Amino acid sequence: MAGVAAPLLQARGLTKNFGAIAATDAVDLDLNSGDSVGLIGPNGAGKSTLLALLAGDHRPSAGALTLDGTDITRLPVHARVRSGVARAAQIPQSFDRLTVRENALLPALFGAGLGRSEAEGWIAEVLALVGLTERAGMLAGALGLLDRKRLELAKAVAARPRVLLLDEIAAGLTEPEIEAIMELVLSLREGRAIVWVEHIPFALRGTCDRLMVMDKGAKTHDGAFAEVWENPELQSIYMGVSDDHSASH
Amino acid sequence: MIRPWEIAALALGLAAAICGATLIGSGSLFLLCEILVIFLLAQMWNLLAGFAGQISLGHQAFVGLGAYTLFLAANETALPLWLVLALVPVAVGLVAIPLGLVMFHLKHAYFAVGMWVVAEILMQLAAKADWLGGTSGLVLRPGGNMLAGEPERVVFAIAAFCAVALMVGLRVFLRTRLGLATLALRENEAAAASAGIDVRGLHLMHFALTAAGTALAGALYYITALYISPNDAFQINWLIAMMFVTVVGGIGTLTGPALGTIILIGAREAMTAWGFTGGQYWIVMGLLAVVVLLLAPRGLWPAIAARRGATQHATTEETEA
Ligand SMILES: Nc1ncnc2c1ncn2[C@@H]1O[C@H](COP(=O)(O)OP(=O)(O)O)[C@@H](O)[C@H]1O
Ligand SMILES: [Mg+2]
């Protein structure tokens, strides 16, 4: 490509107001293929709102968003998924009276645009990756919360996104389960950008090269993981998280 | 794709439609035509409300539109009646597309009530239009002549085959990718969009298709009636029948509306035979709806299916029920 290639995903001044509060306040963000970004910040910092803006669930109050240099600010959710931006939401959303397999099949068919047989093969892989193979024939409504979170992740992955947005997919999991998710995230890094919101430092440190911090809607830090993590300001902004919980006194 | 026994069912349906049309007595045919029309109407409403998740309180508008289109086109042109009948769903389906685009600006309850307003407006417009005969309506005179023969025989054959074809067609449809997407809509529209499904486009498709089917059923009915008026064709009783049959029978199931139709018409015939009045009939139907919805909120068919021990597979396999 001639000149400087446009970032895969670029946000400029992305803002979302809910009444008087700016849930997300003028956030700039560049994501390139291969980037894996951990996103942290206290509850209410605007992390989920930022991911919702990227996924198209919210229309921004201000700002612009491009994918491959093309403006997608006004693109509706379904078109964004088709063009390669998918999110596993913090609150899992499933099709309760469809089977787990059918739930994952839909984003493979409509999001990734695969044919039926190709999609069937692909979702068998995805369900194996998230550990839902044995539950594939169950109705999604019969799943427990953790399995619903796994299914939410499977649905996002099944769409074969180039930008994969993960919102607290590991919350509530046990350590071995978190490690399985980390492995999955690592295996998904190639050829796409990942933004992972999580309150589990070792999970982010083990999978992300970059760390971004949000507070009160604004992006406060964004850089190499270790650098941002070591930043002394971080602990004061982000009291909720520390590796050994020693900051809780 | 379509399964061998489904093709067999279509063939059987065609044979039964033709045999019935030639062998059954005229009096029974009128009743059977009405039953089939109610079933077709209810299945259309069920497809939109129970599967695509859009409740319309104005689908009687398409009954009237279909019937008026048929009467007008048949009376004013030299086209054969049955050709006009075939064109009616196409014409009304096309009209429904811009209507849907406008009405979809209203969401949920507003859409439902907005559709009812549309039906009321159409009734008023038809009543004001001299070229549609105003409040006294139109008599069916294809090409200017009285309709010869026994049209109810052809109507029965068409309606019976359509009913079978609709059941088979919907089963096949629900197994396709768009069918699966439709089931997803019923469950969760936001999640459907997140899966890459064009929710609005799919809603529009169902809106136009169900408008077309409703128009065809309405046109069939008024061919047997030979006469149409605004107060009859656009009446809310069409909607009540569609909703009663669907909700009591089992919304979001393919078999429910068939069961509901049998109950609605069966009870009416029985009560009439026992000397009850129309008012008493509707009171009983209203009570029945309340009782069913209290005891089996998803309708009778799902309750029966559960009782038979079938697991509640409301997935694409549910269409096997
Ligand atoms: N749909 C909404 N309506 C009103 N306020 C909202 C909505 N979603 C989020 N908020 C508010 O925006 C802020 C950011 O929320 P959120 O993005 O969920 O934070 P985080 O994910 O970082 O915990 C919070 O103050 C929250 O109450
Ligand atoms: Mg959040």
Side-chain angles (χ1 to χ4, degrees), chain A residues 77-78 81-82 93-99 102 105-107 109-111 116 137 139 155, chain B residues 175 177 180-181 183-184 186-188 191-198 312 314-317:
Chain A
V77 175
H78 72 92
V81 178
R82 291 177 186 185
Q93 300 281 321
S94 56
F95 309 113
D96 286 351
R97 285 182 289 168
L98 296 182
T99 62
E102 288 166 332
L105 189 58
L106 282 158
L109 290 171
F110 289 90
R116 188 78 182 227
L139 295 186
K155 282 162 55 210
Chain B
R175 292 199 299 264
R177 63 197 291 277
L180 186 59
L183 291 174
R186 175 179 71 171
E187 299 298 309
N188 187 331
S194 295
I197 296 166
D198 180 356
Q312 295 280 308
T315 67
T316 42
E317 288 103 59

Side-chain angles (χ1 to χ4, degrees), chain A residues 204-237:
Chain A
L204 296 185
R205 186 183 304 127
T207 51
C208 300
D209 298 331
R210 194 170 137 193
L211 184 61
M212 180 172 149
V213 185
M214 285 182 76
D215 187 27
K216 301 189 182 75
K219 181 168 97 170
T220 57
H221 301 77
D222 186 356
F225 195 99
E227 259 170 58
V228 174
W229 186 253
E230 300 308 325
N231 192 318
E233 283 173 56
L234 186 64
Q235 299 304 322
S236 64
I237 294 171

